[in-house]
Amino acid sequence: MTDYLHLNRAQWDERAPAHAASPGYSRQRFLDDPAFLSDVVRFDLPRLGDIRGLRAVHLQCHIGTDTLSLHRLGAAVTGLDFSGASLAEARALAAATGAEVGYVEADVYDAPKVLEPGAFDLVYTGIGALCWLPDVRRWAGVVAALLKPGGRLFIREGHPMLWAVDETRPDGLLAIDQAYFERDEPLVWDEDGTYVETDTVFQNTTTHQWNHGLGEIVTAVMDAGLDLTMLREHDSAPWDALPGRTTADEHGEHRLTDRPWRLPQTYTLQARKR
């Protein structure tokens, strides 16, 4: 199982510079506008609420655009990621904008070893994080270990039903072809591209991923000692998850062009540590 870390880290290390250079991550807008927030964080502002003065940690922060957005909303935030190349981009962005954001390089499962346990008011996780982890219950234990009593978990993530859909079908049908529930065996992908606009052709193409059913995620969080306070499913995603079958709105949220109410694409979950 340790092989998945090496494979996945290699692909994130290679893609980090391309992601930072892509218009999809809006790096230049962060530089030009001190009030600019990432699309992912802006979408959830009504649910995130006032986080000024909170001590926060952003798990699996990648190149730090959501992390910087949390900082701009007033949180004292630390970003954690296992990709050194991703963190190099995150640190460069923070430095270029004058933001005091700390970054720590570590596997998410090791977060309680490298960060202060029980010290955080907010644990934040964004889009496309849980699918890289083989064990959602272990992840929930990490969240609980980091939060102080009364502290809050906030996550917006791709919906496990979306991850189970075959996005390659040419007939446009929504067919469930991948695992919905967590399995020991990873989903093995071999792709030389990435999810943002880039001309780069990558050499590290193999990744291991896992799906986790929504009930599995909720149960893991509750069993770890957190009480669920919000679970909202959304018919949109901040990227084109089903190319050729979605339409983007003015905020960059993509919905099915044909009857978008058929498929949940993302969800927002909040829970508070007992």
mmCIF file of all heavy atoms in Angstrom, residues 66-105:
data_model
loop_
_atom_site.group_PDB
_atom_site.id
_atom_site.type_symbol
_atom_site.label_atom_id
_atom_site.label_comp_id
_atom_site.label_asym_id
_atom_site.label_seq_id
_atom_site.Cartn_x
_atom_site.Cartn_y
_atom_site.Cartn_z
ATOM 1 N N ASP A 66 -6.799 27.829 -2.129
ATOM 2 C CA ASP A 66 -7.848 27.821 -1.100
ATOM 3 C C ASP A 66 -7.268 28.219 0.254
ATOM 4 O O ASP A 66 -7.938 28.898 1.049
ATOM 5 C CB ASP A 66 -8.489 26.437 -0.989
ATOM 6 C CG ASP A 66 -9.287 26.051 -2.222
ATOM 7 O OD1 ASP A 66 -9.602 26.929 -3.043
ATOM 8 O OD2 ASP A 66 -9.592 24.845 -2.372
ATOM 9 N N THR A 67 -6.049 27.802 0.520
ATOM 10 C CA THR A 67 -5.396 28.159 1.784
ATOM 11 C C THR A 67 -5.252 29.667 1.899
ATOM 12 O O THR A 67 -5.556 30.268 2.945
ATOM 13 C CB THR A 67 -4.007 27.498 1.858
ATOM 14 O OG1 THR A 67 -4.043 26.206 1.265
ATOM 15 C CG2 THR A 67 -3.535 27.389 3.292
ATOM 16 N N LEU A 68 -4.762 30.292 0.846
ATOM 17 C CA LEU A 68 -4.627 31.749 0.834
ATOM 18 C C LEU A 68 -5.987 32.418 0.989
ATOM 19 O O LEU A 68 -6.111 33.452 1.668
ATOM 20 C CB LEU A 68 -3.956 32.194 -0.462
ATOM 21 C CG LEU A 68 -3.802 33.701 -0.677
ATOM 22 C CD1 LEU A 68 -3.024 34.352 0.461
ATOM 23 C CD2 LEU A 68 -3.115 33.977 -2.017
ATOM 24 N N SER A 69 -7.010 31.843 0.400
ATOM 25 C CA SER A 69 -8.355 32.401 0.530
ATOM 26 C C SER A 69 -8.828 32.373 1.982
ATOM 27 O O SER A 69 -9.431 33.338 2.471
ATOM 28 C CB SER A 69 -9.332 31.632 -0.359
ATOM 29 O OG SER A 69 -8.960 31.726 -1.721
ATOM 30 N N LEU A 70 -8.559 31.280 2.691
ATOM 31 C CA LEU A 70 -8.916 31.214 4.115
ATOM 32 C C LEU A 70 -8.159 32.266 4.912
ATOM 33 O O LEU A 70 -8.709 32.891 5.826
ATOM 34 C CB LEU A 70 -8.622 29.821 4.660
ATOM 35 C CG LEU A 70 -9.403 28.660 4.032
ATOM 36 C CD1 LEU A 70 -8.921 27.333 4.603
ATOM 37 C CD2 LEU A 70 -10.899 28.815 4.237
ATOM 38 N N HIS A 71 -6.892 32.480 4.573
ATOM 39 C CA HIS A 71 -6.103 33.538 5.210
ATOM 40 C C HIS A 71 -6.747 34.903 4.966
ATOM 41 O O HIS A 71 -6.838 35.732 5.881
ATOM 42 C CB HIS A 71 -4.675 33.509 4.678
ATOM 43 C CG HIS A 71 -3.876 34.729 4.998
ATOM 44 N ND1 HIS A 71 -3.272 34.932 6.229
ATOM 45 C CD2 HIS A 71 -3.591 35.827 4.243
ATOM 46 C CE1 HIS A 71 -2.647 36.089 6.222
ATOM 47 N NE2 HIS A 71 -2.818 36.649 5.039
ATOM 48 N N ARG A 72 -7.181 35.146 3.741
ATOM 49 C CA ARG A 72 -7.779 36.437 3.419
ATOM 50 C C ARG A 72 -9.103 36.656 4.124
ATOM 51 O O ARG A 72 -9.527 37.802 4.306
ATOM 52 C CB ARG A 72 -7.954 36.554 1.904
ATOM 53 C CG ARG A 72 -6.622 36.737 1.180
ATOM 54 C CD ARG A 72 -6.771 36.916 -0.321
ATOM 55 N NE ARG A 72 -5.491 37.360 -0.882
ATOM 56 C CZ ARG A 72 -5.293 37.665 -2.160
ATOM 57 N NH1 ARG A 72 -6.304 37.558 -3.022
ATOM 58 N NH2 ARG A 72 -4.112 38.075 -2.587
ATOM 59 N N LEU A 73 -9.735 35.574 4.547
ATOM 60 C CA LEU A 73 -10.966 35.686 5.326
ATOM 61 C C LEU A 73 -10.695 35.863 6.809
ATOM 62 O O LEU A 73 -11.632 35.951 7.603
ATOM 63 C CB LEU A 73 -11.839 34.454 5.098
ATOM 64 C CG LEU A 73 -12.450 34.321 3.698
ATOM 65 C CD1 LEU A 73 -13.167 32.978 3.553
ATOM 66 C CD2 LEU A 73 -13.409 35.472 3.403
ATOM 67 N N GLY A 74 -9.424 35.884 7.189
ATOM 68 C CA GLY A 74 -9.071 36.225 8.564
ATOM 69 C C GLY A 74 -8.601 35.091 9.430
ATOM 70 O O GLY A 74 -8.325 35.291 10.622
ATOM 71 N N ALA A 75 -8.476 33.890 8.893
ATOM 72 C CA ALA A 75 -8.005 32.760 9.691
ATOM 73 C C ALA A 75 -6.484 32.751 9.755
ATOM 74 O O ALA A 75 -5.799 33.181 8.817
ATOM 75 C CB ALA A 75 -8.499 31.446 9.108
ATOM 76 N N ALA A 76 -5.952 32.257 10.856
ATOM 77 C CA ALA A 76 -4.518 31.960 10.965
ATOM 78 C C ALA A 76 -4.345 30.534 10.476
ATOM 79 O O ALA A 76 -4.641 29.580 11.186
ATOM 80 C CB ALA A 76 -4.047 32.112 12.403
ATOM 81 N N VAL A 77 -3.896 30.363 9.243
ATOM 82 C CA VAL A 77 -4.032 29.076 8.558
ATOM 83 C C VAL A 77 -2.681 28.447 8.254
ATOM 84 O O VAL A 77 -1.711 29.134 7.926
ATOM 85 C CB VAL A 77 -4.875 29.229 7.266
ATOM 86 C CG1 VAL A 77 -4.218 30.170 6.288
ATOM 87 C CG2 VAL A 77 -5.156 27.883 6.622
ATOM 88 N N THR A 78 -2.639 27.135 8.386
ATOM 89 C CA THR A 78 -1.499 26.312 7.991
ATOM 90 C C THR A 78 -1.973 25.351 6.912
ATOM 91 O O THR A 78 -3.029 24.744 7.036
ATOM 92 C CB THR A 78 -0.968 25.504 9.188
ATOM 93 O OG1 THR A 78 -0.540 26.402 10.212
ATOM 94 C CG2 THR A 78 0.199 24.608 8.767
ATOM 95 N N GLY A 79 -1.180 25.227 5.849
ATOM 96 C CA GLY A 79 -1.485 24.269 4.800
ATOM 97 C C GLY A 79 -0.598 23.045 4.906
ATOM 98 O O GLY A 79 0.592 23.172 5.212
ATOM 99 N N LEU A 80 -1.145 21.874 4.660
ATOM 100 C CA LEU A 80 -0.380 20.631 4.710
ATOM 101 C C LEU A 80 -0.587 19.861 3.416
ATOM 102 O O LEU A 80 -1.709 19.722 2.940
ATOM 103 C CB LEU A 80 -0.805 19.793 5.914
ATOM 104 C CG LEU A 80 -0.077 18.455 6.106
ATOM 105 C CD1 LEU A 80 0.209 18.193 7.583
ATOM 106 C CD2 LEU A 80 -0.902 17.286 5.525
ATOM 107 N N ASP A 81 0.504 19.354 2.856
ATOM 108 C CA ASP A 81 0.424 18.541 1.652
ATOM 109 C C ASP A 81 1.650 17.645 1.589
ATOM 110 O O ASP A 81 2.705 17.972 2.153
ATOM 111 C CB ASP A 81 0.355 19.424 0.405
ATOM 112 C CG ASP A 81 -0.233 18.687 -0.790
ATOM 113 O OD1 ASP A 81 0.525 18.017 -1.520
ATOM 114 O OD2 ASP A 81 -1.461 18.770 -0.991
ATOM 115 N N PHE A 82 1.524 16.512 0.871
ATOM 116 C CA PHE A 82 2.656 15.588 0.783
ATOM 117 C C PHE A 82 3.549 15.880 -0.422
ATOM 118 O O PHE A 82 4.600 15.252 -0.574
ATOM 119 C CB PHE A 82 2.177 14.138 0.759
ATOM 120 C CG PHE A 82 1.541 13.651 -0.527
ATOM 121 C CD1 PHE A 82 1.455 12.290 -0.781
ATOM 122 C CD2 PHE A 82 1.009 14.513 -1.469
ATOM 123 C CE1 PHE A 82 0.880 11.805 -1.951
ATOM 124 C CE2 PHE A 82 0.433 14.048 -2.642
ATOM 125 C CZ PHE A 82 0.368 12.697 -2.875
ATOM 126 N N SER A 83 3.168 16.829 -1.266
ATOM 127 C CA SER A 83 3.922 17.157 -2.474
ATOM 128 C C SER A 83 4.792 18.381 -2.237
ATOM 129 O O SER A 83 4.288 19.495 -2.076
ATOM 130 C CB SER A 83 2.962 17.412 -3.637
ATOM 131 O OG SER A 83 3.620 18.054 -4.709
ATOM 132 N N GLY A 84 6.091 18.159 -2.245
ATOM 133 C CA GLY A 84 7.001 19.281 -2.059
ATOM 134 C C GLY A 84 6.905 20.307 -3.165
ATOM 135 O O GLY A 84 7.002 21.523 -2.919
ATOM 136 N N ALA A 85 6.700 19.855 -4.396
ATOM 137 C CA ALA A 85 6.576 20.786 -5.519
ATOM 138 C C ALA A 85 5.314 21.631 -5.390
ATOM 139 O O ALA A 85 5.313 22.824 -5.723
ATOM 140 C CB ALA A 85 6.572 20.016 -6.827
ATOM 141 N N SER A 86 4.225 21.023 -4.929
ATOM 142 C CA SER A 86 2.997 21.788 -4.710
ATOM 143 C C SER A 86 3.204 22.852 -3.649
ATOM 144 O O SER A 86 2.767 24.001 -3.800
ATOM 145 C CB SER A 86 1.860 20.847 -4.296
ATOM 146 O OG SER A 86 1.536 19.945 -5.329
ATOM 147 N N LEU A 87 3.883 22.493 -2.563
ATOM 148 C CA LEU A 87 4.111 23.452 -1.493
ATOM 149 C C LEU A 87 5.064 24.565 -1.926
ATOM 150 O O LEU A 87 4.942 25.705 -1.461
ATOM 151 C CB LEU A 87 4.653 22.745 -0.259
ATOM 152 C CG LEU A 87 3.665 21.805 0.438
ATOM 153 C CD1 LEU A 87 4.297 21.208 1.688
ATOM 154 C CD2 LEU A 87 2.368 22.530 0.797
ATOM 155 N N ALA A 88 5.980 24.272 -2.830
ATOM 156 C CA ALA A 88 6.848 25.330 -3.361
ATOM 157 C C ALA A 88 6.015 26.387 -4.080
ATOM 158 O O ALA A 88 6.252 27.596 -3.934
ATOM 159 C CB ALA A 88 7.890 24.730 -4.300
ATOM 160 N N GLU A 89 5.028 25.944 -4.843
ATOM 161 C CA GLU A 89 4.138 26.890 -5.513
ATOM 162 C C GLU A 89 3.273 27.640 -4.501
ATOM 163 O O GLU A 89 3.034 28.841 -4.651
ATOM 164 C CB GLU A 89 3.251 26.151 -6.521
ATOM 165 C CG GLU A 89 3.992 25.437 -7.627
ATOM 166 C CD GLU A 89 4.697 26.384 -8.593
ATOM 167 O OE1 GLU A 89 4.402 27.607 -8.561
ATOM 168 O OE2 GLU A 89 5.523 25.902 -9.391
ATOM 169 N N ALA A 90 2.798 26.937 -3.488
ATOM 170 C CA ALA A 90 1.971 27.578 -2.462
ATOM 171 C C ALA A 90 2.759 28.640 -1.710
ATOM 172 O O ALA A 90 2.257 29.752 -1.463
ATOM 173 C CB ALA A 90 1.437 26.529 -1.493
ATOM 174 N N ARG A 91 3.994 28.321 -1.349
ATOM 175 C CA ARG A 91 4.826 29.303 -0.636
ATOM 176 C C ARG A 91 5.145 30.504 -1.514
ATOM 177 O O ARG A 91 5.175 31.654 -1.038
ATOM 178 C CB ARG A 91 6.112 28.625 -0.151
ATOM 179 C CG ARG A 91 5.891 27.580 0.944
ATOM 180 C CD ARG A 91 7.210 27.065 1.493
ATOM 181 N NE ARG A 91 7.001 26.096 2.570
ATOM 182 C CZ ARG A 91 7.191 24.788 2.460
ATOM 183 N NH1 ARG A 91 7.614 24.275 1.293
ATOM 184 N NH2 ARG A 91 6.972 23.986 3.481
ATOM 185 N N ALA A 92 5.387 30.252 -2.796
ATOM 186 C CA ALA A 92 5.688 31.356 -3.710
ATOM 187 C C ALA A 92 4.491 32.294 -3.842
ATOM 188 O O ALA A 92 4.651 33.518 -3.874
ATOM 189 C CB ALA A 92 6.095 30.804 -5.069
ATOM 190 N N LEU A 93 3.296 31.733 -3.923
ATOM 191 C CA LEU A 93 2.099 32.564 -4.018
ATOM 192 C C LEU A 93 1.894 33.373 -2.743
ATOM 193 O O LEU A 93 1.588 34.573 -2.798
ATOM 194 C CB LEU A 93 0.879 31.682 -4.291
ATOM 195 C CG LEU A 93 -0.469 32.400 -4.358
ATOM 196 C CD1 LEU A 93 -0.493 33.424 -5.475
ATOM 197 C CD2 LEU A 93 -1.613 31.389 -4.527
ATOM 198 N N ALA A 94 2.060 32.736 -1.595
ATOM 199 C CA ALA A 94 1.903 33.458 -0.327
ATOM 200 C C ALA A 94 2.922 34.590 -0.221
ATOM 201 O O ALA A 94 2.584 35.714 0.174
ATOM 202 C CB ALA A 94 2.043 32.493 0.834
ATOM 203 N N ALA A 95 4.155 34.307 -0.587
ATOM 204 C CA ALA A 95 5.191 35.339 -0.513
ATOM 205 C C ALA A 95 4.898 36.487 -1.467
ATOM 206 O O ALA A 95 5.079 37.670 -1.118
ATOM 207 C CB ALA A 95 6.556 34.724 -0.833
ATOM 208 N N ALA A 96 4.426 36.173 -2.668
ATOM 209 C CA ALA A 96 4.161 37.211 -3.661
ATOM 210 C C ALA A 96 2.997 38.111 -3.262
ATOM 211 O O ALA A 96 2.915 39.268 -3.701
ATOM 212 C CB ALA A 96 3.872 36.569 -5.018
ATOM 213 N N THR A 97 2.097 37.592 -2.427
ATOM 214 C CA THR A 97 0.960 38.387 -1.984
ATOM 215 C C THR A 97 1.141 38.940 -0.576
ATOM 216 O O THR A 97 0.240 39.611 -0.058
ATOM 217 C CB THR A 97 -0.327 37.537 -2.027
ATOM 218 O OG1 THR A 97 -0.160 36.383 -1.199
ATOM 219 C CG2 THR A 97 -0.637 37.096 -3.454
ATOM 220 N N GLY A 98 2.280 38.652 0.043
ATOM 221 C CA GLY A 98 2.545 39.153 1.391
ATOM 222 C C GLY A 98 1.740 38.475 2.472
ATOM 223 O O GLY A 98 1.555 39.041 3.559
ATOM 224 N N ALA A 99 1.269 37.265 2.221
ATOM 225 C CA ALA A 99 0.432 36.560 3.186
ATOM 226 C C ALA A 99 1.279 35.708 4.116
ATOM 227 O O ALA A 99 2.189 35.006 3.673
ATOM 228 C CB ALA A 99 -0.580 35.682 2.456
ATOM 229 N N GLU A 100 0.972 35.739 5.395
ATOM 230 C CA GLU A 100 1.663 34.916 6.380
ATOM 231 C C GLU A 100 0.911 33.585 6.521
ATOM 232 O O GLU A 100 0.010 33.439 7.338
ATOM 233 C CB GLU A 100 1.752 35.644 7.719
ATOM 234 C CG GLU A 100 2.632 36.886 7.679
ATOM 235 C CD GLU A 100 2.805 37.518 9.047
ATOM 236 O OE1 GLU A 100 2.375 36.885 10.045
ATOM 237 O OE2 GLU A 100 3.350 38.628 9.124
ATOM 238 N N VAL A 101 1.290 32.659 5.685
ATOM 239 C CA VAL A 101 0.694 31.321 5.695
ATOM 240 C C VAL A 101 1.805 30.302 5.893
ATOM 241 O O VAL A 101 2.822 30.348 5.198
ATOM 242 C CB VAL A 101 -0.049 31.017 4.372
ATOM 243 C CG1 VAL A 101 -0.643 29.615 4.397
ATOM 244 C CG2 VAL A 101 -1.137 32.057 4.114
ATOM 245 N N GLY A 102 1.643 29.414 6.855
ATOM 246 C CA GLY A 102 2.635 28.380 7.086
ATOM 247 C C GLY A 102 2.281 27.119 6.323
ATOM 248 O O GLY A 102 1.105 26.765 6.196
ATOM 249 N N TYR A 103 3.295 26.442 5.802
ATOM 250 C CA TYR A 103 3.070 25.207 5.061
ATOM 251 C C TYR A 103 3.948 24.095 5.616
ATOM 252 O O TYR A 103 5.115 24.322 5.950
ATOM 253 C CB TYR A 103 3.345 25.406 3.569
ATOM 254 C CG TYR A 103 2.284 26.233 2.886
ATOM 255 C CD1 TYR A 103 2.483 27.587 2.613
ATOM 256 C CD2 TYR A 103 1.060 25.662 2.544
ATOM 257 C CE1 TYR A 103 1.495 28.337 1.999
ATOM 258 C CE2 TYR A 103 0.066 26.411 1.931
ATOM 259 C CZ TYR A 103 0.288 27.745 1.664
ATOM 260 O OH TYR A 103 -0.695 28.490 1.065
ATOM 261 N N VAL A 104 3.377 22.893 5.686
ATOM 262 C CA VAL A 104 4.055 21.733 6.234
ATOM 263 C C VAL A 104 3.955 20.598 5.221
ATOM 264 O O VAL A 104 2.868 20.302 4.720
ATOM 265 C CB VAL A 104 3.438 21.291 7.578
ATOM 266 C CG1 VAL A 104 4.106 20.027 8.086
ATOM 267 C CG2 VAL A 104 3.548 22.423 8.603
ATOM 268 N N GLU A 105 5.097 19.955 4.944
ATOM 269 C CA GLU A 105 5.114 18.839 4.007
ATOM 270 C C GLU A 105 4.984 17.530 4.770
ATOM 271 O O GLU A 105 5.849 17.165 5.563
ATOM 272 C CB GLU A 105 6.409 18.835 3.193
ATOM 273 C CG GLU A 105 6.468 17.736 2.146
ATOM 274 C CD GLU A 105 7.719 17.791 1.304
ATOM 275 O OE1 GLU A 105 8.385 18.853 1.267
ATOM 276 O OE2 GLU A 105 8.056 16.764 0.666
#
